[in-house]
Amino acid sequence: MGVCPQWYRFFPLDDPHKLYTGFQAVAAGTIETVVIHENPYGGKIYYQVNVSLRINQKILIWYAFEPFTNIEAEGIIQLNAIDVAPGQKVTAGEIIGRLYYPSTDVGAHVHFGVTINHEWVCPEEYFSPQALSLIHISEPTRLRLKSRMPSWG
Protein backbone atom coordinates (compact mmCIF):
# COMPACT_ATOMS: atom_id res chain seq x y z
CA MET A 1 0.00 0.00 0.00
CA GLY A 2 2.94 2.39 0.48
CA VAL A 3 2.65 5.37 2.77
CA CYS A 4 -0.84 5.48 4.20
CA PRO A 5 -2.53 8.84 4.64
CA GLN A 6 -3.86 9.40 8.13
CA TRP A 7 -6.89 11.35 6.98
CA TYR A 8 -9.30 10.90 4.10
CA ARG A 9 -11.26 13.60 2.33
CA PHE A 10 -14.66 12.86 0.79
CA PHE A 11 -15.92 14.96 -2.09
CA PRO A 12 -19.64 14.17 -2.10
CA LEU A 13 -21.10 13.21 -5.45
CA ASP A 14 -24.19 15.37 -5.35
CA ASP A 15 -25.49 18.62 -6.75
CA PRO A 16 -23.71 21.62 -5.23
CA HIS A 17 -25.37 24.44 -3.27
CA LYS A 18 -27.63 22.29 -1.14
CA LEU A 19 -27.39 20.05 1.90
CA TYR A 20 -25.95 16.66 1.05
CA THR A 21 -28.03 13.62 1.96
CA GLY A 22 -25.85 12.73 4.91
CA PHE A 23 -22.84 11.03 6.39
CA GLN A 24 -23.35 7.95 8.51
CA ALA A 25 -21.92 6.71 11.77
CA VAL A 26 -19.48 3.95 10.84
CA ALA A 27 -20.30 2.01 14.02
CA ALA A 28 -22.44 2.25 17.12
CA GLY A 29 -21.08 4.60 19.73
CA THR A 30 -21.49 7.88 21.59
CA ILE A 31 -21.00 11.35 20.16
CA GLU A 32 -18.28 13.10 22.19
CA THR A 33 -17.99 16.47 20.50
CA VAL A 34 -19.81 18.66 18.01
CA VAL A 35 -17.95 21.95 17.71
CA ILE A 36 -17.58 24.73 15.19
CA HIS A 37 -13.92 25.38 14.48
CA GLU A 38 -12.16 28.35 12.94
CA ASN A 39 -9.53 26.92 10.61
CA PRO A 40 -6.84 29.42 9.50
CA TYR A 41 -5.92 28.87 5.87
CA GLY A 42 -4.28 31.19 3.36
CA GLY A 43 -4.52 34.21 5.63
CA LYS A 44 -8.28 33.78 6.19
CA ILE A 45 -10.45 31.96 8.69
CA TYR A 46 -12.54 29.11 7.31
CA TYR A 47 -15.34 27.49 9.29
CA GLN A 48 -15.78 23.77 9.78
CA VAL A 49 -17.74 21.57 12.16
CA ASN A 50 -15.90 18.75 13.92
CA VAL A 51 -17.75 15.71 15.21
CA SER A 52 -16.14 12.91 17.18
CA LEU A 53 -17.72 9.49 17.71
CA ARG A 54 -16.45 7.31 20.57
CA ILE A 55 -16.71 3.62 19.60
CA ASN A 56 -15.08 2.27 22.77
CA GLN A 57 -12.31 3.27 25.20
CA LYS A 58 -9.68 2.91 22.47
CA ILE A 59 -11.31 3.96 19.20
CA LEU A 60 -12.43 7.48 18.30
CA ILE A 61 -13.77 8.40 14.85
CA TRP A 62 -13.38 11.98 13.60
CA TYR A 63 -15.51 13.77 11.00
CA ALA A 64 -14.73 17.32 9.86
CA PHE A 65 -17.54 18.89 7.83
CA GLU A 66 -15.83 21.61 5.81
CA PRO A 67 -18.11 23.74 3.65
CA PHE A 68 -14.91 25.66 2.85
CA THR A 69 -16.38 29.06 3.64
CA ASN A 70 -14.96 32.07 5.41
CA ILE A 71 -18.43 33.47 6.08
CA GLU A 72 -19.39 32.89 9.73
CA ALA A 73 -23.12 32.65 8.97
CA GLU A 74 -22.43 29.76 6.59
CA GLY A 75 -20.36 28.07 9.30
CA ILE A 76 -23.45 28.29 11.52
CA ILE A 77 -25.55 26.75 8.73
CA GLN A 78 -23.09 23.85 8.69
CA LEU A 79 -23.32 23.51 12.47
CA ASN A 80 -27.12 23.38 12.19
CA ALA A 81 -26.80 20.62 9.54
CA ILE A 82 -25.36 18.25 12.15
CA ASP A 83 -28.03 15.85 13.41
CA VAL A 84 -26.32 14.67 16.61
CA ALA A 85 -25.30 16.18 19.95
CA PRO A 86 -22.62 15.38 22.53
CA GLY A 87 -23.63 12.44 24.70
CA GLN A 88 -26.03 11.06 22.10
CA LYS A 89 -25.90 7.31 21.39
CA VAL A 90 -25.89 6.42 17.68
CA THR A 91 -26.21 3.19 15.77
CA ALA A 92 -24.13 2.09 12.79
CA GLY A 93 -25.56 3.70 9.67
CA GLU A 94 -27.37 6.51 11.50
CA ILE A 95 -26.96 9.91 9.83
CA ILE A 96 -24.74 12.15 11.94
CA GLY A 97 -24.81 15.19 9.70
CA ARG A 98 -25.09 16.68 6.26
CA LEU A 99 -22.55 18.75 4.36
CA TYR A 100 -23.55 22.31 3.47
CA TYR A 101 -22.50 23.66 0.09
CA PRO A 102 -22.08 27.44 0.45
CA SER A 103 -22.89 29.88 -2.32
CA THR A 104 -19.16 30.36 -2.87
CA ASP A 105 -18.48 26.60 -3.01
CA VAL A 106 -14.86 25.96 -3.93
CA GLY A 107 -14.51 22.45 -2.59
CA ALA A 108 -16.89 21.57 0.23
CA HIS A 109 -15.86 18.22 1.68
CA VAL A 110 -15.84 15.98 4.75
CA HIS A 111 -12.71 14.56 6.36
CA PHE A 112 -12.72 11.19 8.11
CA GLY A 113 -10.10 9.99 10.57
CA VAL A 114 -9.53 7.23 13.11
CA THR A 115 -7.52 7.29 16.33
CA ILE A 116 -6.72 4.24 18.43
CA ASN A 117 -5.37 5.00 21.89
CA HIS A 118 -4.95 8.67 20.83
CA GLU A 119 -2.73 7.72 17.85
CA TRP A 120 -3.78 8.33 14.25
CA VAL A 121 -4.09 5.14 12.22
CA CYS A 122 -4.59 4.54 8.54
CA PRO A 123 -8.37 4.32 8.13
CA GLU A 124 -8.19 2.44 4.82
CA GLU A 125 -9.09 -0.92 6.36
CA TYR A 126 -12.41 0.55 7.53
CA PHE A 127 -13.63 1.17 3.98
CA SER A 128 -15.24 -1.20 1.50
CA PRO A 129 -13.66 -1.35 -1.99
CA GLN A 130 -16.64 0.65 -3.30
CA ALA A 131 -16.10 3.40 -0.72
CA LEU A 132 -12.38 3.56 -1.46
CA SER A 133 -13.14 4.17 -5.13
CA LEU A 134 -15.04 7.36 -4.14
CA ILE A 135 -12.40 8.82 -1.82
CA HIS A 136 -9.87 11.52 -2.55
CA ILE A 137 -6.84 10.90 -0.35
CA SER A 138 -5.17 13.90 1.23
CA GLU A 139 -3.34 15.17 4.31
CA PRO A 140 -0.56 12.58 4.07
CA THR A 141 1.54 13.41 7.10
CA ARG A 142 0.86 12.41 10.65
CA LEU A 143 2.86 15.27 12.08
CA ARG A 144 0.63 17.88 10.47
CA LEU A 145 -2.50 16.17 11.78
CA LYS A 146 -1.19 15.89 15.30
CA SER A 147 -0.42 19.60 15.30
CA ARG A 148 -3.98 20.41 14.17
CA MET A 149 -6.05 18.05 16.26
CA PRO A 150 -5.78 19.42 19.84
CA SER A 151 -7.84 22.47 18.89
CA TRP A 152 -10.81 20.26 17.99
CA GLY A 153 -12.27 20.35 21.44
Side-chain angles (χ1 to χ4, degrees):
M1 172 176 70
V3 175
C4 178
Q6 303 299 315
W7 196 242
Y8 281 73
R9 182 183 298 182
F10 293 79
F11 287 95
L13 305 173
D14 202 357
D15 295 328
H17 310 301
K18 67 176 188 175
L19 290 173
Y20 188 62
T21 53
F23 286 83
Q24 299 177 347
V26 297
T30 303
I31 301 299
E32 280 199 351
T33 59
V34 175
V35 61
I36 193 164
H37 176 71
E38 295 179 352
N39 189 6
Y41 179 78
K44 294 182 180 180
I45 297 294
Y46 288 86
Y47 295 91
Q48 68 188 54
V49 176
N50 301 323
V51 178
S52 63
L53 170 61
R54 173 67 61 189
I55 306 303
N56 57 38
Q57 284 186 314
K58 294 181 179 183
I59 301 174
L60 190 63
I61 306 297
W62 298 89
Y63 301 83
F65 292 81
E66 292 193 44
F68 211 76
T69 180
N70 61 352
I71 300 168
E72 185 176 9
E74 291 183 328
I76 299 298
I77 291 170
Q78 179 59 71
L79 180 62
N80 290 332
I82 303 303
D83 298 329
V84 294
Q88 181 178 336
K89 304 277 188 210
V90 296
T91 58
E94 186 174 337
I95 300 298
I96 62 166
R98 293 158 285 132
L99 178 63
Y100 171 68
Y101 291 86
S103 59
T104 57
D105 180 32
V106 293
H109 58 275
V110 175
H111 289 275
F112 177 84
V114 178
T115 59
I116 298 177
N117 292 324
H118 308 286
E119 292 290 326
W120 289 100
V121 298
C122 180
E124 189 168 340
E125 68 184 78
Y126 298 92
F127 295 108
S128 68
Q130 297 84 1
L132 282 172
S133 71
L134 299 174
I135 296 172
H136 169 76
I137 300 170
S138 68
E139 303 284 358
T141 65
R142 240 178 137 144
L143 181 61
R144 182 171 176 200
L145 286 172
K146 284 186 176 180
S147 69
R148 289 177 54 197
M149 295 313 294
S151 63
W152 278 41

